[in-house]
Each structure stands twice: as C-alpha cells, then as structure tokens.
Amino acid sequence: MQNNFDLELKSIQLQNERLLRELAEVHKILELPSEQNKTVKEFYTVEECAELKGGAALNTYKSNRFMLPGCGNPKYSVFILGRLAFPHDVVMRWLKVSDSEYLDYAKECGVTVVPEKYIRLAQKARQKEVVAV
C-alpha cells in the first residue's frame, strides 16, 4: 500500500516539474513581444501621421501642410530619402492637439500666418466646447 502511494507521489512530482518547465518557456515567449514594443520610431512620414491622427483624408494632410505636425514650419520636419518626415516628439505633441487648441499650437510652432479656414474651424470647435460644458 505504501509503495503505491510513493509511486503516485513521485508521478505527481514529475508532472509538476514538467509543467514548471513548460510554464517557464511560455513565460519567455510572452516577454519577447513586450521587448519589441519598446522600440519607438524616430521619424514618421506624412502617411503615418495621417493614419495616427485620423479625422481627415491623406490628401487633405498632403495638400495642407498647416495641418501637419509643426503646422508646416520647416523647422519641425526633415527629409529622409526624399520624403517629408517628422520627429517622434513633434508628432506625439501634435497628436494631442484638438481643433480648439490648434491656433495656440500654431503660435507655439512659430507660425504667424494662419489660413482663414482654420481660424473659423478653431472658433467653431471652441464654441462647441463651451456649449458642452
């Protein structure tokens, strides 16, 4: 009777050890993607910016540089292999700007001439925020 009990106990211990090894392998696999996600792009193209921001068609962003990160100020953009690109920090700041804040953002970027259309859009957005509050 004691021998059967000892054999069952040994069998359970072996199964536990096998499960622990398999769990360790699963744990390693789960850690790999999180390490890969820590890599941040240094520059974003106009297409990537439009996809991240949304709200308008790609052609709108391409034809209206004022709507791009840095409000069209060349100081905030670079050319990489002939394509217009924007640094990570500039893009992350730009993504947080809403229509109601866009004129203030343009001033921060050093833009002095704002298209009339965007002045109206910013005023309309501010009015909606006041009504919502």
Side-chain angles (χ1 to χ4, degrees):
M1 181 89 160
Q2 183 66 23
N3 286 341
N4 286 341
F5 181 73
D6 288 340
L7 287 174
E8 287 180 26
L9 186 60
K10 291 278 186 191
S11 174
I12 291 172
Q13 287 175 338
L14 288 172
Q15 289 175 353
N16 283 342
E17 289 175 14
R18 188 177 331 125
L19 285 173
L20 281 174
R21 282 193 302 268
E22 291 174 6
L23 282 175
E25 291 176 25
V26 169
H27 185 67
K28 288 178 187 176
I29 292 170
L30 290 174
E31 285 180 345
L32 290 177
S34 64
E35 291 174 7
Q36 293 172 351
N37 290 341
K38 291 179 184 177
T39 304
V40 177
K41 290 184 72 155
E42 196 167 333
F43 293 97
Y44 293 86
T45 63
V46 173
E47 290 83 3
E48 292 167 330
C49 290
E51 185 178 320
L52 288 170
K53 183 84 168 190
L58 174 60
N59 285 336
T60 303
Y61 288 108
K62 283 183 173 183
S63 62
N64 300 305
R65 287 194 64 167
F66 181 74
M67 296 308 297
L68 292 173
C71 293
N73 188 338
K75 175 173 116 177
Y76 296 101
S77 62
V78 295
F79 282 92
I80 298 176
L81 295 173
R83 296 186 75 196
L84 185 63
F86 303 92
H88 173 79
D89 294 339
V90 173
V91 172
M92 292 303 118
R93 168 69 178 107
W94 172 75
L95 287 173
K96 296 175 185 175
V97 177
S98 67
D99 281 356
S100 62
E101 303 165 333
Y102 214 81
L103 296 179
D104 295 331
Y105 174 68
K107 287 178 187 173
E108 286 177 26
C109 294
V111 175
T112 55
V113 178
V114 178
E116 183 65 33
K117 174 183 178 180
Y118 300 110
I119 293 173
R120 287 193 309 271
L121 287 173
Q123 289 171 345
K124 186 176 180 181
R126 285 182 182 163
Q127 287 173 351
K128 285 187 178 185
E129 280 185 353
V130 170
V131 171
V133 173

